[in-house]
Amino acid sequence: MRSVLFLGMIALTVNSCSVLRPKPINDIKVTNAKDLIEQIQTSQPSWNTIDMRGSVTALQGDVSQRISTSIRIRANELIWVNAAMIVPVGRAKIDKTGISFYEQIGKTFFEGDFSAIEDALGFSLNYAQIENSLRGVSLFETPKRRVRFEVINDGYILKSRQGNLRLCNTYNQQFMMTQQLLTIGQKRLLIHYSDYQQMSGQWIPMKIRYEGQSKGETALFEFEFRKAEVNSSVRTPFSIPKSYTRI
């Protein structure tokens, strides 16, 4: 299953003009976890829709592929992916029921639950957590008690545990997430965020990199967006051709 999702990302995985990315300014300083959590919640993006265009690089072992990609999201509902490599390659859809994609080169399709994400990245994630990972929001709610707070040179760190799950979230001085690390035993998922761009008063991470390690294997998916638009009307057409073969 890990190879199925990876190949699907390659199959589904536009550069535009450069955009201004002003440096955020924030003079607020926090000295404890409670105040930091409050500032993070205030700073988090709250868009209802987002349309992002750029590329995704998928890497596993010696196999690597970069593909032009458009991602459109309707909050709490749907993540839609369209991919092209000079010509259209395929589409993917993630909603609360699971994952579907089809690719036009081999004329194949996949429909399944979120176990495909676990097979690829080593962690079981639901729809809300996948969407939050693209927002730059913690996948798990940070508890206000039993959380370790640290001040570092360029920001803050929050560490906590939920059973066997260890969480370590890092934020910059403007309270934007720069990475979140999840570990359970030998399984590890690290998500990096960078190149924030301000749109409609909200800061959007334009570079997101997922690094998953499980069962001795490492998978990497890196999104690099060149353009994004929030709270616009988005179309998300998705229909698997009847002649395609299930994988």
Side-chain angles (χ1 to χ4, degrees), residues 28-57:
I28 299 174
K29 304 296 182 182
V30 297
T31 58
N32 58 73
K34 181 177 180 292
D35 289 346
L36 176 58
I37 292 171
E38 290 177 354
Q39 290 296 330
I40 291 168
Q41 292 173 342
T42 301
S43 305
Q44 288 175 351
S46 57
W47 45 258
N48 294 314
T49 67
I50 190 167
D51 185 349
M52 301 181 288
R53 299 181 183 184
S55 64
V56 59
T57 299

Side-chain angles (χ1 to χ4, degrees), residues 70-132:
S70 296
I71 296 181
R72 298 171 185 171
I73 304 176
R74 289 196 183 98
N76 304 313
E77 180 184 345
L78 177 74
I79 300 169
W80 178 90
V81 183
N82 189 69
M85 216 165 53
I86 301 179
V87 297
V89 173
R91 286 179 177 168
K93 178 185 71 173
I94 303 174
D95 59 22
K96 294 181 180 180
T97 65
I99 302 168
S100 303
F101 69 75
Y102 66 88
E103 56 87 14
Q104 296 174 243
I105 297 176
K107 298 186 182 303
T108 62
F109 75 93
F110 171 83
E111 290 181 306
D113 58 23
F114 294 107
S115 61
I117 295 291
E118 182 175 8
D119 290 332
L121 294 176
F123 277 81
S124 177
L125 304 178
N126 59 31
Y127 174 83
Q129 291 166 334
I130 296 169
E131 183 181 308
N132 281 346

